[in-house]
Amino acid sequence: MFPIPAIPTIPAPAPIIDPLVLQALATDPRAKRFYTLRAWTAAWTEDQAKAFSAALEGAIRHGMDGAAFLPAATRDPAAREVALTLAALTYADGLARGLADPAAASQGLFTLERQGTDVTAGLSQALDRRELAVWLDRLPPRDAEYQALSSAYVALRTQISQATASAIPTGPAILPGGTDYRAPLIAQRLYDLGYLTGPPMASQTLSAPISEALKRIQAENGMQATGKVGNDTIAVLNAGPADHARQLVLNLERRRWLRREAPATRIDVNTAGAFFTFFRNGVADWSGRTVVGSANRQTPSLQSSFSQLVVNPPWNVPASIARAEIFPRGAGYLRRQNMYVTNGRVVQRPGPTAALGLVKFDMQNPYAIYLHDTPSKSLFARAARHRSHGCVRVENAVDFARHLAGLYGVTDRFEAVLATGDTGVVQLGSDIPVRLLYHTAFVGEAGAVVYRSDPYGLDVKLAKAMGLDAPRSTLNPEEAAPDPQSAPLGP
């Protein structure tokens, strides 16, 4: 006997709904455009509605609550049709471009290239082709780092219900060797996190082993490794699976804001972690630490580029810095800093002790934000490196500039200008894009997800924009944001 071939199932068509009824219900601009593209014909079948509901079960992989996108139940076919459309457009746009407005959820300046997916046309086509689940799955980022953060979030969700540790109370700072009733709680938490081994310590003294373990966890979280217990450190110790899961939600969102195809050759600066990576043809080619804006002079999230190196650069001091930090110190200070005033503007002459060091990566943007060298090399050894006026100071800047000069065939020109001590421009002959990103969770060098503190308070701002509880903030002006008057002078 020969097998009888299965008869293919023909999906039921979408219900016929009076176009005038759809026009009366589709008052949202997104729905109007959707149905205009379809000549005001219905799109949703029962099978498509079930496929959307099933697709929402995967929302957890993107740090989203799928149930929040389900439309309210209704027996009115037209109302259900429009509600499904708006729900699917909202979810799809969240996957493709994020749920929050980047400018409103940052420090007000966001010029990074956004993803340009047209979800309205895409949804209509996906429904007509009966490929809704496949289309939705293609919308979010698919790079390795996004996938790693997604996997970490899903894993943490299973741990949240198992977290039973009680919070360590905040209070006065505890110095290494000092005594405090919280010391045993701190020691126990360090044991639980794997930073201490051996039997638990019941002593109320912050002993040397505890202080050393604290230094490790402080350094890993981008804090100054002092071994001193302030409320910032307590916040890090108290951060459990729920806190890290919330932090991952925010950082998955930030990555969805970005254009999927980043320039293959570029510089990415993580302003939360204070480090940079130079990618050449998609591969990490050079990396190093940075010093970025302090909490009250934040480095913005922007995208720019440079095509030239300014060697032995002078510093045209911004008027705000001159008024607040230079003129009050008098003429003697200007002389000692090799500065002069021209047309009311303070200028610092070039030289090895000048604020811009020996090279400036001359990014073109209207915000006077750029990368540069610095004479204050010791700052790169610090864990907390949010100490500039907003520009980005680059570790081993001269060596990095020399590396770029070699790649672009202008080594001789660079070395010649550098040796003169005079200001000169070295053209690279090609634009190098630079992205200034604020990522408080990312994949570290060891391949594991690393969590950083929130030095600019932007996790708190984004959580509010997304309707989430504010994460534990480790922002403490005393530990993370030095007084500009005491910080080394520079942009």
Side-chain angles (χ1 to χ4, degrees), residues 60 64 111 150 168 179 199 242 342 349 359 380 425 429 444 464 470 476:
I60 186 175
M64 299 181 186
T111 68
S150 170
I168 301 170
T179 58
T342 176
R349 296 180 179 87
V359 65
F380 295 114
V425 174
K464 182 178 180 180
N476 182 333

Side-chain angles (χ1 to χ4, degrees), residues 263-269 275-288 306 371 394 400 403-405 407-408 428 431-434:
T265 296
R266 68 187 187 277
I267 296 172
D268 281 350
V269 179
F275 64 87
F276 82 100
T277 304
F278 169 57
F279 293 90
R280 183 186 179 201
N281 298 325
V283 178
D285 182 68
W286 188 286
S287 62
F306 66 91
L371 281 60
V394 176
F400 179 51
H403 179 66
L404 292 179
L407 292 177
Y408 290 91
L428 297 175
D431 283 341
I432 299 180
V434 179

Side-chain angles (χ1 to χ4, degrees), residues 12-15 43-57 69-71 77 80-81 83-85 87-88 123 127 130 132-133 136:
W44 291 90
T45 67
E46 188 61 33
D47 287 342
Q48 298 281 34
K50 290 179 179 178
F52 179 51
S53 180
L56 288 176
E57 295 179 4
F69 295 93
L70 285 172
R80 181 171 182 265
E81 165 79 23
L84 278 168
T85 295
L123 175 62
L127 290 172
R130 306 188 185 283
L132 180 61
L136 288 171

Side-chain angles (χ1 to χ4, degrees), residues 96-309:
R97 290 171 52 82
L99 297 168
D101 175 14
S106 61
Q107 58 269 63
L109 177 61
F110 186 97
T111 68
L112 290 158
E113 290 187 359
R114 300 288 310 281
Q115 179 68 2
T117 304
D118 183 354
V119 298
T120 304
L123 175 62
S124 181
Q125 294 170 7
L127 290 172
D128 287 343
R129 296 171 181 172
R130 306 188 185 283
E131 296 178 348
L132 180 61
V134 173
W135 175 71
L136 288 171
D137 195 50
R138 291 173 178 167
L139 293 177
R142 306 180 76 179
D143 60 275
E145 183 161 61
Y146 187 89
Q147 298 302 324
L149 298 186
S150 170
S151 298
Y153 174 75
V154 173
L156 283 172
R157 284 290 299 266
T158 65
Q159 300 176 24
I160 290 174
S161 61
Q162 304 171 10
T164 59
S166 57
I168 301 170
T170 58
I174 312 172
L175 298 176
T179 58
D180 191 283
Y181 77 96
R182 294 168 292 171
L185 298 175
I186 292 169
Q188 184 62 54
R189 187 62 48 83
L190 290 168
Y191 281 121
D192 295 341
L193 295 173
Y195 288 87
L196 280 177
T197 58
M201 297 181 181
S203 170
Q204 294 192 356
T205 299
L206 204 68
S207 65
I210 296 175
S211 295
E212 290 304 311
L214 287 168
K215 289 179 182 178
R216 285 177 53 207
I217 199 169
Q218 287 168 336
E220 290 176 8
N221 282 271
M223 304 166 65
Q224 192 61 25
T226 62
K228 168 186 172 182
V229 181
N231 289 336
D232 274 5
T233 302
I234 288 176
V236 170
L237 293 172
N238 282 336
D243 299 288
H244 284 159
R246 192 179 301 111
Q247 198 169 355
L248 287 169
V249 169
L250 304 177
N251 283 274
L252 288 167
E253 169 75 359
R254 288 190 177 107
R255 284 162 174 79
R256 290 191 294 267
W257 292 343
L258 303 176
R259 180 180 174 182
R260 298 296 180 264
E261 297 80 23
T265 296
R266 68 187 187 277
I267 296 172
D268 281 350
V269 179
N270 184 339
T271 58
F275 64 87
F276 82 100
T277 304
F278 169 57
F279 293 90
R280 183 186 179 201
N281 298 325
V283 178
D285 182 68
W286 188 286
S287 62
R289 296 184 171 196
T290 61
V291 174
V292 294
S294 62
N296 55 354
R297 295 181 183 270
Q298 300 175 12
T299 300
S301 298
L302 62 80
Q303 185 160 340
S304 186
S305 64
F306 66 91
S307 60
Q308 61 184 23
L309 306 173

